[in-house]
Amino acid sequence: MEFIQTATQPSDDDGFAPCNMTWQHRIYAFGACFVIGAFFSIFGSIELWLGQWAAFAFLYTLGTVTALAGTLFLRGPKTQINKMFDKERIFATIALIASIIITILVVIIVPIGKGPLAMLCCIAQFIAFCWYTLTYIPGGITVVKSCFGAVAGRCPC
């Protein structure tokens, strides 16, 4: 636990200085955001079973944004936002933000037949979120690429 705490320890100028949040409070806040985000996604899944595709897409997106907001507590808002736009994860960050925006626009703007399109947007959002998360794991992208390469090499197509 100490390794994680020192590796993600926010600096004094990370945007939390006025709050005086302890490390333990930051972990609780991250956990709360993650759990709330998971609940939004679960409730969205219930809406999907009820045939309410737009409600599903909206709640799923709200869950993604809430879980992502929780990461701001681990390093602090300033540090986390700067890390999001590092050269090794800028494309993943842009893909995630774009998928979130497009999903919301589809739910709000598209008048008819938005269900399948909203579902497609949520799938894109899930893939973008996984890609974004893998950029924080050392060697994460490389491992996934090699796994998919091995699987594609065995494909009889």
Side-chain angles (χ1 to χ4, degrees), residues 16-78:
F16 275 122
C19 299
N20 288 332
M21 290 182 78
T22 65
W23 175 249
Q24 186 176 8
H25 290 136
R26 290 175 189 224
I27 292 293
Y28 289 154
F30 166 75
C33 286
F34 186 80
V35 168
I36 291 168
F39 276 125
F40 280 134
S41 296
I42 290 167
F43 291 140
S45 298
I46 293 169
E47 293 295 328
L48 182 64
W49 284 101
L50 296 174
Q52 302 296 320
W53 295 41
F56 160 72
F58 179 76
L59 287 171
Y60 183 82
T61 301
L62 191 59
T64 300
V65 170
T66 305
L68 186 62
T71 64
L72 298 175
F73 289 103
L74 293 179
R75 290 190 172 181
K78 184 178 177 183

Side-chain angles (χ1 to χ4, degrees), residues 79-100:
T79 305
Q80 180 63 21
I81 289 171
N82 286 337
K83 289 287 184 186
M84 287 173 73
F85 292 98
D86 279 351
K87 67 176 185 172
E88 64 269 359
R89 68 182 56 91
I90 190 162
F91 294 117
T93 301
I94 290 170
L96 179 58
I97 292 170
S99 68
I100 289 170

